[in-house]
Amino acid sequence: MDLQSIRREYLTGSLTREQLNADPVAQFGLWLDQAIKMEMVDPTAMVLATTDADGQPNQRVVLLKGFDAQGFVFFTNYESRKSLDIAANAKVSLHFPWYPVERQVLVCGVAEKVSADESRAYFQSRPRESQLGAWASPQSRVLASREAMMEQFESVKARFADQDIPLPTFWGGFRVRPVRVEFWQGGANRLHDRFQYSNCVDGHWQIDRLAP
């Protein structure tokens, strides 16, 4: 494979300081809305990067389930690898790779658990099978086989037959409170447009253009 010859130009658009909203969350909302309207595949998919207690970085794809001025929300098993990493180091990053529109968004911030009420409201909105899956999966732990996992799923399904499925005590959401947000728009000749929002001590956001 000749990987070095695989390249393309980024010619979809450009980004100027004048185009940016003063609030990075509002700017993110604009870009996300555009991605959704373009019917991109998984526009809410984001790479969550964490670091474990030994300093080893870990990454995985999770789905954004809400965002506002307070931060960006996703849900998971609180006993999973990502949750254990966050317990050791709450500083995380989120990366939205919107390749079809030659855009990226990077969010760096601090993760904290959402309230049980917020987790319960989202859990109850999920399809019943997904609720059962949350109960059945010991996320990130070693499994004997897929058959063992499916047996556990069927056991949980029988346990909660004909009744509402409660929120597991080991499952819920995290909110990533941003301290730095970067918007990247691909440009010709690798001269990309990059703008970084930095959260200042007085609460306002400083915006700087970064070299590509």
Side-chain angles (χ1 to χ4, degrees):
M1 294 183 290
D2 182 11
L3 301 182
Q4 294 183 7
S5 67
I6 299 176
R7 60 174 57 85
R8 67 183 177 90
E9 284 289 355
Y10 298 95
L11 304 172
T12 298
S14 62
L15 185 63
T16 67
R17 173 65 180 84
E18 291 70 28
Q19 292 173 313
L20 293 172
N21 194 293
D23 181 354
V25 176
Q27 181 64 38
F28 174 83
L30 175 63
W31 273 22
L32 177 60
D33 183 61
Q34 291 172 355
I36 293 171
K37 288 179 177 177
M38 288 185 62
E39 299 184 350
M40 281 177 46
V41 176
D42 294 331
T44 62
M46 58 188 184
V47 179
L48 167 67
T50 58
T51 306
D52 67 19
D54 295 323
Q56 174 62 53
N58 291 301
Q59 298 181 65
R60 74 288 288 162
V61 176
V62 297
L63 298 179
L64 178 70
K65 290 301 178 182
F67 70 96
D68 56 23
Q70 302 306 309
F72 300 77
V73 177
F74 67 93
F75 293 86
T76 188
N77 186 311
Y78 282 149
E79 297 175 357
S80 66
R81 178 178 294 164
K82 67 179 78 67
S83 296
L84 297 179
D85 284 359
I86 290 171
N89 181 2
K91 294 181 179 180
V92 306
S93 68
L94 308 172
H95 176 235
F96 295 84
W98 291 327
Y99 303 121
V101 289
E102 299 174 357
R103 288 175 172 175
Q104 303 179 61
V105 179
L106 174 66
V107 178
C108 294
V110 179
E112 58 187 36
K113 289 182 179 180
V114 305
S115 69
D117 287 342
E118 188 171 349
S119 293
R120 186 176 299 105
Y122 172 68
F123 185 79
Q124 293 174 347
S125 76
R126 304 179 88 203
R128 185 174 180 85
E129 291 75 13
S130 295
Q131 295 179 21
L132 293 170
W135 274 96
S137 173
Q139 194 176 110
S140 301
R141 297 180 186 175
V142 175
L143 289 175
S145 64
R146 181 172 180 83
E147 288 72 22
M149 179 178 66
M150 296 311 297
E151 288 176 5
Q152 178 64 13
F153 181 84
E154 292 301 324
S155 174
V156 170
K157 186 176 180 180
R159 174 184 173 186
F160 294 115
D162 303 320
Q163 61 176 292
D164 292 336
I165 303 171
L167 172 70
T169 57
F170 54 81
W171 195 95
F174 283 102
R175 175 174 286 104
V176 178
R177 296 188 179 273
V179 296
R180 189 172 76 250
V181 184
E182 180 183 328
F183 293 85
W184 181 99
Q185 176 73 62
N189 304 313
R190 299 298 187 267
L191 298 177
H192 313 302
D193 292 311
R194 297 174 58 191
F195 286 93
Q196 176 179 277
Y197 292 72
S198 302
N199 197 351
C200 300
V201 292
D202 61 0
H204 87 278
W205 292 90
Q206 177 177 320
I207 305 175
D208 296 296
R209 178 184 278 274
L210 302 181

